[in-house]
Amino acid sequence: MAADTADPRTPRISLITVCWNAERTIADTLRSIDQQTYRDFEHIIIDGGSSDSTLAIIASAPAENRRVLSGRDGGIYEAMNKGIGLASGEIIGFLNADDTFESSGSLETVAAALGDEAYDGCYGDLIYVSNQHPDRTVRYWKSCAFEPGFFRRGWCPPHPTFYVRRRVYDRFGTFDLRYRLAADVELMMRFLEVARIRTVYIPRVLVRMRLGGATNKNIQNISRQNKEVLRALANHGLGVSILTFWASKLVNRLGQFVKRDR
């Protein structure tokens, strides 16, 4: 269902950014965060020990609500778990160092959706943009309201738009580090398909993501990620036809390259 933004209360949000040697993109990410109209949030940066100018760029954009932790870690999902451990907000979400918010009202939209205590989490739409030309849209990830069985068909929400209450992590756990490329998919599968948390779909673009992340940078990683997703389905007892999974996923992904109104 669509979000009802009428008369929300104002929950505190913990926004986590994971980065490593992100000097080319981190300034755009910080700018989009600092321009948010919703101000009741903290920004936690988990840096993996960058050796370029990433930390200097972060230092040049100080903010009262920003904290930075830098040091070597075991990868993106371990860093995300560190961020969750430091978070003090009622709601937790992520914006990585090659992502930006679509508008200055993105966090306000999230806060409005989760102002309703009936919901444990929310998510929206995402657009992929060219790595070299971030103003050019390449792919539109149009999501929809969750229904049981969706993950068996290769569906999942865009993780950078996925916000859940702290109590969900406390009860159902954080990122499972056994999954090197699909821990975000497994986590959302665990929350939505297995635990059946109550989520609300926001039918609007919340985030712009550059192409070229760890998962989609080459066909080998895409294949490995999907094998991990199939393993997660099996581990959670969610029987799936491999043919149905791949066919549904292919149709869904091809549709994302068709231009859509936003």
Side-chain angles (χ1 to χ4, degrees):
M1 65 179 291
D4 179 0
T5 60
D7 192 29
R9 66 183 190 83
T10 56
R12 181 163 176 78
I13 297 174
S14 291
L15 179 66
I16 300 166
T17 296
V18 168
C19 63
W20 180 71
N21 287 348
E23 63 182 6
R24 194 174 63 83
T25 60
I26 189 68
D28 290 343
T29 302
L30 298 178
R31 190 177 304 111
S32 81
I33 291 170
D34 292 341
Q35 290 174 348
Q36 291 300 296
T37 55
Y38 189 79
R39 302 310 304 168
D40 192 6
F41 75 96
E42 64 174 351
H43 183 211
I44 300 169
I45 297 177
I46 307 297
D47 175 77
S50 291
S51 58
D52 64 1
S53 62
T54 297
L55 290 171
I57 293 170
I58 294 170
S60 71
E64 290 185 359
N65 63 342
R66 180 169 291 139
R67 287 188 285 162
V68 182
L69 176 67
S70 182
R72 294 179 63 86
D73 55 49
I76 185 171
Y77 298 118
E78 182 178 304
M80 287 180 171
N81 283 345
K82 285 183 182 179
I84 293 170
L86 293 173
S88 64
E90 176 190 350
I91 296 165
I92 298 174
F94 295 87
L95 191 74
N96 292 328
D98 50 1
D99 303 342
T100 61
F101 284 119
E102 167 66 0
S103 75
S104 61
S106 291
L107 276 185
E108 193 162 355
T109 299
V110 168
L114 294 183
D116 187 341
E117 284 285 347
Y119 298 112
D120 300 308
C122 69
Y123 56 89
D125 298 340
L126 175 148
I127 56 175
Y128 283 95
V129 298
S130 166
N131 205 325
Q132 303 298 325
H133 305 284
D135 291 332
R136 181 165 67 87
T137 299
V138 176
R139 172 179 159 195
Y140 184 107
W141 190 340
K142 176 73 173 175
S143 196
C144 62
F146 169 74
E147 293 181 13
F150 269 12
F151 280 85
R152 291 183 174 95
R153 300 200 290 273
W155 177 94
C156 73
H159 183 250
T161 74
F162 188 69
Y163 289 75
V164 295
R165 299 189 191 280
R166 164 188 292 281
R167 66 187 183 221
V168 174
Y169 287 105
D170 291 342
R171 183 173 180 186
F172 302 112
T174 57
F175 293 94
D176 187 336
L177 302 184
R178 293 175 297 175
Y179 299 91
R180 296 186 60 83
L181 292 172
D184 53 348
V185 179
E186 187 279 330
L187 179 134
M188 293 185 289
M189 180 192 303
R190 190 184 341 136
F191 288 177
L192 275 69
E193 197 79 73
V194 180
R196 297 289 171 85
I197 69 168
R198 300 159 298 175
T199 55
V200 57
Y201 164 56
I202 301 169
R204 61 176 286 184
V205 174
L206 297 178
V207 172
R208 301 171 68 86
M209 172 185 279
R210 284 179 171 88
L211 287 172
T215 299
N216 58 34
K217 69 179 180 181
N218 57 51
I219 192 67
Q220 290 84 3
N221 276 14
I222 292 172
S223 176
R224 290 180 188 129
Q225 187 210 36
N226 281 291
K227 288 178 181 177
E228 288 189 2
V229 172
L230 287 167
R231 176 159 58 92
L233 285 164
N235 288 344
H236 287 299
L238 301 169
V240 60
S241 160
I242 295 178
L243 179 61
T244 299
F245 175 86
W246 281 108
S248 299
K249 189 154 193 168
L250 179 61
V251 169
N252 178 268
R253 294 302 182 268
L254 288 175
Q256 291 178 9
F257 288 91
V258 177
K259 185 177 180 180
R260 304 179 187 215
D261 294 332
R262 292 194 279 120

